[in-house]
Amino acid sequence: GDEAATLRLAQEIAALDPGRVRTVAYVEKQARSLAALVALACDDLVLQEGALLGGPGDPHVSMTSLDELRPVIKQLAQQKARDWSLFAGLVDHRLKVSRYRRPETGEQRYFCAEELGDAGGNVGWEQGEELMLRKGIGDGQAVDLGLARHVVVDLAEVFQRYELEEPLQQVDPPWITDQLERLSGSPWV
């Protein structure tokens, strides 16, 4: 719900030293809108089969806010050594992102027009298909794009892959918080 808090969390996670702390986001069902940025800020992203990443989610993120988010999104992607267009495209449905390829090397990257310009324009790049990010992406596409490391059946498989022995403590918001959030979004209140 809270745009600023979500962004702060993503920035704090991305700023952690991967030499000291390895962060793994596990998305069971979906990480939509700004929640996708928190997941992408981690060192590894693991999606459960059928999970969705990005696309519409929080109705409170206005078009103006999305424009203002661009510098934060660029910073997050830079900290993770990734193209920022993919991050932005999963949050901003207006952004057109395409696959680009260097024929001489086979290198593939994903750019919007602005990031392509920052990378030297079309010089040396062949434009491929436009990615359909508007509604978010599924588990397989997230892996294909290099955003997710694994697709798993359940949380137990995450524990196995990362050799975790102690159970994680699940933190659920108190039921009253859920009720207040629902009420605050109601047009009748």
Side-chain angles (χ1 to χ4, degrees):
D2 184 347
E3 193 175 299
T6 303
L7 290 174
R8 272 194 312 276
L9 177 60
Q11 289 173 308
E12 288 179 23
I13 290 170
L16 293 171
D17 178 2
R20 297 185 61 213
V21 177
R22 183 173 181 186
T23 57
V24 179
Y26 167 63
V27 177
E28 183 178 17
K29 293 182 181 160
Q30 61 184 4
R32 299 291 211 161
S33 190
L34 297 180
L37 293 179
V38 175
L40 292 167
C42 292
D43 299 317
D44 288 353
L45 173 57
V46 179
L47 299 173
Q48 184 167 309
E49 289 178 358
L52 295 172
L53 181 66
D58 190 344
H60 303 294
V61 181
S62 69
M63 294 303 134
T64 304
S65 293
L66 288 171
D67 291 336
E68 293 169 355
L69 290 174
R70 188 73 49 91
V72 175
I73 292 171
K74 287 179 180 182
Q75 177 191 16
L76 286 173
Q78 181 182 18
Q79 287 174 296
K80 294 299 160 187
R82 300 216 176 126
D83 298 321
W84 64 262
S85 296
L86 282 174
F87 283 41
L90 290 169
V91 176
D92 185 348
H93 70 275
R94 303 167 301 171
L95 194 65
K96 293 182 180 183
V97 179
S98 295
R99 182 186 314 262
Y100 287 84
R101 185 176 169 280
R102 285 193 187 274
E104 65 276 1
T105 64
E107 176 187 10
Q108 289 191 87
R109 304 227 356 232
Y110 304 92
F111 298 130
C112 65
E114 182 184 343
E115 189 172 15
L116 178 63
D118 294 345
N122 275 340
V123 178
W125 292 105
E126 285 183 357
Q127 184 174 357
E129 76 278 3
E130 182 179 331
L131 302 178
M132 303 309 295
L133 303 175
R134 180 183 185 109
K135 294 181 180 179
I137 58 174
D139 52 18
Q141 188 177 10
V143 170
D144 291 345
L145 294 172
L147 296 173
R149 185 171 302 270
H150 304 291
V151 175
V152 297
V153 174
D154 57 19
L155 185 58
E157 188 176 343
V158 176
F159 275 77
Q160 181 183 13
R161 284 187 181 270
Y162 288 91
E163 300 176 1
L164 300 173
E165 295 176 11
E166 295 181 31
L168 299 176
Q169 182 178 2
Q170 184 171 339
V171 180
D172 291 318
W175 69 270
I176 191 70
T177 304
D178 291 337
Q179 296 300 323
L180 289 172
E181 286 180 0
R182 265 192 224 116
L183 284 173
S184 69
S186 171
W188 305 105
V189 178

